[in-house]
Amino acid sequence: MRKPCKLLFGFFFLGLTAVLAQESLQDQPLVSPEVREDGRVTFRLKAPEAASVRVIGNWMPREGFGRASEAMERGTDGLWTLTNPVLPSELYWYNLIIDGVTTTDPSNVHLIRDVASTFNIFIVPGGKGDRYSVQSVPHGTVSKRWYDSPGLGKARRVTIYTPPGYETSTEDYPVLYLLHGAGGDEEAWSDLGRATQILDNLIASGEAQPMIVVMPNGNAAQEAAPGKSSEGLKQPTFMMPRTMDGDYEASFRDVIDFVEANYRVKADKENRAIAGLSMGGFHSLHISRYYPDTFDYVGLFSPVIMPRGNPSAPVYEALDETLATQKNNGYKLYWIGIGKDDFLFDEVTAFRTRLDRLQMPYTYLETEGGHEWPLWRDYLTVFAPRLFK
């Protein structure tokens, strides 16, 4: 007599399981963005109460200092969608604008912070994007270290990449000091710049020599990135105090001394490089001439040339004389890259005229684009293979 009850319970249990499974499937997060094999990208958002949803991304046309946006289409179930035309292989950022409020895509957990703004990212593979992706190759190690800076009177944080095999070898390595721009910090090149993925892939392909990459904080007033220092969860700001007062450049030996005391490095001019973007290019220019017999490789990516205002720091004095000393000491590569639409283009052109007058050799790359991360990632993939050869 009990068998029918068991059978009925079994059917009930199976039915309940099926219903719960269907509900669970319905609760699965939307796929957004969906990157298709042909390079088209579809964005989705479930927002039945929204009156307007738009996508804004760095592949869209410029509008002043910002970007244009494109409207998503609302379905009858409150699902908004937008499919872009084919995008070239690259790393892209985007936001959603919901009823006029800019926010991130709740279906995309991949985020980056640029100064005080947060963006979603995605990668279209099959070309440049592969350089910035994690590939099935040997990987280096990324460490966040603290060092004492007597010149700046504080402990400071630095990101350091050691190449694949560093921990198991006894080899000494050359060093690239890679500097961020205004509003950035010691996390900018590893997060926004994808420097670790770029170096892993270049080293694995044999295009670049294994090297240590040191990514310091270039804001003299900061210990570390916002939220990573004793100041607590402080709001990031674009232009920190003391970024162009000469103290950071004059104290840069503190970074070099820490690296050479704690890592197996080739501690000579022939095996040191310094490069940076925007403000980091400015710092690289002035550090390399202030210490004119320290670096054989210098890279200026869309650089600021002279400090804003009228600083009296010794670091910025005697520009022509110190550049001439740097030239006479000799170096292997002085590399400059900038986009045609960069607001610093004329400033860089004037600097090149100065270098020509001093007969100071340099390599120059002029590209399409403005003052933006896609160019600087590109410049790193061009610059790094030319080091330590």
Side-chain angles (χ1 to χ4, degrees):
M1 296 295 293
R2 295 179 180 174
K3 288 183 180 178
C5 293
K6 289 182 177 178
L7 191 60
L8 287 171
F9 178 77
F11 282 131
F12 172 76
F13 179 77
L14 289 173
L16 179 62
T17 302
V19 170
L20 291 174
Q22 288 178 347
E23 290 180 353
S24 177
L25 287 172
Q26 292 172 354
D27 291 339
Q28 291 297 311
L30 296 171
V31 177
S32 178
E34 179 186 357
V35 181
R36 304 173 189 270
E37 289 186 3
D38 63 0
R40 291 181 300 152
V41 181
T42 297
F43 303 90
R44 298 180 177 92
L45 177 71
K46 190 65 175 284
E49 303 300 321
S52 169
V53 182
R54 304 182 70 86
V55 177
I56 181 170
N58 66 331
W59 64 93
M60 295 180 175
R62 287 193 173 276
E63 288 187 346
F65 290 104
R67 295 280 179 175
S69 62
E70 190 169 350
M72 299 180 74
E73 183 177 343
R74 189 186 194 281
T76 55
D77 55 354
L79 178 65
W80 298 78
T81 60
L82 171 67
T83 297
N84 272 339
V86 174
L87 292 176
S89 177
E90 179 59 272
L91 184 151
Y92 296 96
W93 64 256
Y94 73 101
N95 281 133
L96 301 181
I97 306 174
I98 305 173
D99 293 339
V101 178
T102 301
T103 185
T104 54
D105 184 345
S107 297
N108 185 355
V109 300
H110 303 293
L111 303 168
I112 55 171
R113 177 184 64 83
D114 191 359
V115 193
S117 300
T118 304
F119 305 94
N120 293 107
I121 61 169
F122 63 90
I123 295 176
V124 176
K128 280 186 186 180
D130 295 342
R131 303 173 184 170
Y132 317 135
S133 301
V134 176
Q135 306 288 348
S136 296
V137 299
H139 302 297
T141 299
V142 179
S143 303
K144 309 290 186 180
R145 300 289 303 271
W146 287 84
Y147 70 98
D148 289 325
S149 175
L152 295 177
K154 57 171 70 76
R156 309 190 77 241
R157 192 167 177 255
V158 59
T159 299
I160 298 180
Y161 167 90
T162 50
Y166 175 86
E167 290 85 357
T168 56
S169 79
T170 58
E171 185 179 347
D172 294 339
Y173 292 86
V175 184
L176 165 61
Y177 294 87
L178 189 59
L179 313 185
H180 63 80
D185 47 60
E186 76 278 8
E187 298 184 339
W189 264 111
S190 58
D191 293 352
L192 288 155
R194 309 287 284 191
T196 58
Q197 289 84 0
I198 291 171
L199 265 296
D200 278 351
N201 295 330
L202 288 175
I203 292 170
S205 66
E207 295 172 79
Q209 297 292 322
M211 67 185 78
I212 294 172
V213 183
V214 178
M215 295 165 270
N217 187 308
N219 304 309
Q222 267 187 334
E223 295 173 351
K228 305 298 173 64
S229 74
S230 62
E231 293 183 325
L233 304 180
K234 191 173 181 180
Q235 180 76 4
T237 56
F238 176 69
M239 200 69 182
M240 296 288 296
R242 300 178 58 200
T243 53
M244 292 184 177
D245 67 355
D247 286 349
Y248 180 70
E249 296 95 317
S251 68
F252 198 77
R253 283 288 338 182
D254 295 346
V255 182
I256 298 173
D257 291 345
F258 171 78
V259 171
E260 295 184 352
N262 289 275
Y263 289 84
R264 297 193 315 277
V265 304
K266 297 177 179 178
D268 54 35
K269 176 172 174 283
E270 292 77 12
N271 289 285
R272 292 194 202 100
I274 188 167
L277 68 93
S278 192
M279 183 185 77
F282 164 85
H283 285 150
S284 298
L285 188 166
H286 294 289
I287 289 168
S288 67
R289 68 176 188 80
Y290 190 71
Y291 297 105
D293 202 24
T294 303
F295 302 96
D296 249 3
Y297 303 87
V298 179
L300 311 182
F301 306 170
S302 311
V304 177
I305 301 302
M306 293 303 294
R308 294 342 189 205
N310 187 29
S312 58
V315 168
Y316 306 127
E317 295 175 353
L319 178 60
D320 284 358
E321 291 83 351
T322 52
L323 285 172
T325 300
Q326 186 177 7
K327 180 191 78 168
N328 294 335
N329 286 342
Y331 51 80
K332 294 183 179 177
L333 178 65
Y334 200 100
W335 193 95
I336 304 170
I338 193 164
K340 296 176 182 178
D341 298 324
D342 198 306
F343 70 95
L344 294 171
F345 187 86
D346 291 343
E347 191 171 345
V348 170
T349 299
F351 181 62
R352 290 176 55 217
T353 300
R354 182 187 296 266
L355 296 180
D356 293 338
R357 187 175 68 249
L358 294 169
Q359 298 184 327
M360 186 168 175
Y362 62 91
T363 298
Y364 177 65
L365 177 64
E366 186 175 297
T367 61
E368 300 296 331
H371 205 73
E372 53 196 350
W373 273 105
L375 267 67
W376 303 324
R377 287 190 291 263
D378 266 1
Y379 293 168
L380 180 59
T381 65
V382 174
F383 182 72
R386 302 193 62 168
L387 303 179
F388 316 122
K389 295 294 182 77

